[in-house]
Amino acid sequence: MDWLDFDTADCSIQKTLDIIGEKWTVLILREAFNGVRRFDQIRDHVGVSDPVLSDRLRKLVTAGVLAVKPYREVGQRARKEYRLTDKGLDLYPVMISLLRWGDKHGSGQNVGSGGGQDVGPGGPQLEVLHRDCGEPVNAIVECAAGHPISSPRESVTRMSDADRSRAS
């Protein structure tokens, strides 16, 4: 079956992008993965407006990616903080992949130009390291048997068994 024969109306990539496919949403997730949980801290660190941040947080909570937890500082009113759920934590490899792609392909000056590494004179600004051994964290694509996949040429896309049985 040719790719163009597939009906992409129920595409998992599209479903993912419906939830996290906006710039501000990915940046909010970056903050959450780095322990920033409070509205004002997210707003100030990311530089997003209050209405946009409120909208994106609401969507992430509705989608089950973030959960709201109340907190109260002494002498202050109750407020909310936003914590990653298990569903949200499953996005960690995606975030690492985005980080590594940015490390390799650019600071924005080279995006779309086909250029190589342009991440600044000192290299990548951030490092994500394994807490136990100190080595860099990478996102790895592999099959269920553990074989590494380094190119789309090493895989094949086909209709799932469930969809094949529905189609017949």
Side-chain angles (χ1 to χ4, degrees), residues 14-31:
Q14 181 62 50
K15 289 177 187 178
T16 303
L17 290 175
D18 287 346
I19 297 169
I20 67 161
E22 297 168 315
K23 168 190 169 183
W24 295 116
T25 302
V26 175
L27 295 177
I28 292 163
L29 288 170
R30 177 195 66 194
E31 299 304 302

Side-chain angles (χ1 to χ4, degrees), residues 33-124:
F33 275 106
N34 286 290
V36 180
R37 298 182 178 114
R38 297 181 178 178
F39 186 96
D40 56 337
Q41 292 173 327
I42 296 169
R43 179 197 61 218
D44 295 345
H45 200 237
V46 173
V48 62
S49 70
D50 284 4
V52 171
L53 179 56
S54 293
D55 177 66
R56 299 313 186 273
L57 288 170
R58 181 185 49 76
K59 287 178 180 176
L60 288 167
V61 169
T62 299
V65 174
L66 294 176
V68 176
K69 302 290 183 195
Y71 76 93
R72 176 178 286 189
E73 293 179 356
V74 178
Q76 299 291 321
R77 66 180 172 87
R79 295 179 176 249
K80 301 174 189 175
E81 64 180 24
Y82 300 88
R83 294 180 176 255
L84 291 159
T85 62
D86 289 342
K87 185 176 181 178
L89 289 168
D90 282 346
L91 289 166
Y92 189 63
V94 175
M95 299 302 287
I96 294 297
S97 292
L98 289 170
L99 175 69
R100 295 299 176 225
W101 189 91
D103 289 349
K104 183 175 181 179
H105 293 291
S107 63
Q109 298 168 352
N110 245 358
V111 172
S113 68
Q117 295 185 338
D118 184 16
V119 294

